[in-house]
Amino acid sequence: MMNHRDSKNQREDGMKTALVRNDRGFTLTEIMIALAVFTIGILAVNAMQTASIKGNSKARQITEASNLATDRIEKIIALDYDDPALNDSDGDGTDQDADLDGTDDDGGNFGLDHETAVTADHETTSVDGNYRIFWNVAVDQPLFNNKTIRFIAVYDADPQNGGKGKVIFDYIKKK
C-alpha cells in the first residue's frame, strides 16, 4: 500500500521527468516552419512598401501637374478676352455649333480634348521638361461671348510602358 509520502515522491519524479523532456529546445522542423512564416511576413511587408512608394510617386506627379496647370490657368485667365493666347488657333472650336444645340456639329468636343503639340491650340512645357500643358479654346461655348478653355497637363505616368498621365481643368471666360 502506498502512503501519502510515496505518492508525493512519484508525482515529483513525474514532474521532473516531464520538465526534462520538455527542456530539449526546438526541433529542426519547428525552426524551419518558423523561418517560413517569418519569410512570408517579410515578403508581404516588402510588397506593401513597394506599392506604397509607387502610389506616392503617382500622387506627387498628379499634384505637380495640377499645380503647374493651375499656375498656367491663372496667367491665361488674367489676359484680356481678345488676347492671342485665348484664340482658337486652329478654328476647331469656333463656329462649330451652327444649330445652337450645345453640341459640336462635327461630332467632336469643340477641339477641347486635343493634347498634342500638333492638335492643341496652345502649349507650354514645365521648366524641368517633365510636364507639358496644352490648352484649347472653344469660342462662344457654352454661350455667346464666352470661351471655354480646357487645360490639359500631360506627364509620363509609367515611362517603362510608355504610359501618359494627365490632369484636366476647364474654365469659362466671359467677354
Side-chain angles (χ1 to χ4, degrees):
M1 184 163 164
M2 229 161 117
N3 65 22
H4 178 62
R5 178 173 278 164
D6 288 338
S7 70
K8 183 178 177 187
N9 286 342
Q10 279 183 340
R11 274 188 281 140
E12 287 177 3
D13 287 342
M15 289 171 68
K16 287 179 185 175
T17 304
L19 287 174
V20 170
R21 284 187 205 147
N22 288 336
D23 198 25
R24 294 182 306 164
F26 296 108
T27 64
L28 183 60
T29 305
E30 291 170 331
I31 290 173
M32 295 299 286
I33 290 171
L35 282 173
V37 169
F38 180 73
T39 301
I40 291 169
I42 291 295
L43 290 174
V45 168
N46 183 37
M48 183 176 61
Q49 190 68 17
T50 301
S52 175
I53 289 170
K54 286 180 182 177
N56 286 342
S57 176
K58 182 175 176 122
R60 182 193 57 76
Q61 287 179 319
I62 292 170
T63 301
E64 195 165 335
S66 296
N67 287 340
L68 291 168
T70 55
D71 181 57
R72 179 56 53 182
I73 289 169
E74 289 177 12
K75 290 176 182 175
I76 297 297
I77 296 307
L79 300 174
D80 291 333
Y81 184 84
D82 295 322
D83 191 281
L86 286 170
N87 287 342
D88 180 11
S89 63
D90 56 9
D92 60 359
T94 304
D95 299 324
Q96 298 298 314
D97 188 15
D99 56 6
L100 301 175
D101 65 352
T103 59
D104 188 341
D105 295 339
D106 294 337
N109 192 17
F110 299 102
L112 294 174
D113 292 329
H114 296 161
E115 56 186 68
T116 67
V118 174
T119 59
D121 291 330
H122 306 278
E123 75 165 300
T124 188
T125 304
S126 64
V127 175
D128 62 5
N130 292 330
Y131 300 87
R132 295 181 76 184
I133 301 165
F134 302 101
W135 65 98
N136 299 294
V137 180
V139 180
D140 293 332
Q141 290 302 316
L143 300 169
F144 185 70
N145 282 336
N146 284 284
K147 291 181 179 180
T148 297
I149 309 156
R150 176 165 291 169
F151 296 87
I152 305 171
V154 179
Y155 57 93
D156 288 332
D158 188 4
Q160 289 87 7
N161 296 322
K164 297 281 184 194
K166 61 183 168 184
V167 178
I168 300 171
F169 293 98
D170 287 343
Y171 192 87
I172 298 173
K173 181 158 179 95
K174 67 178 191 165
K175 193 167 193 174

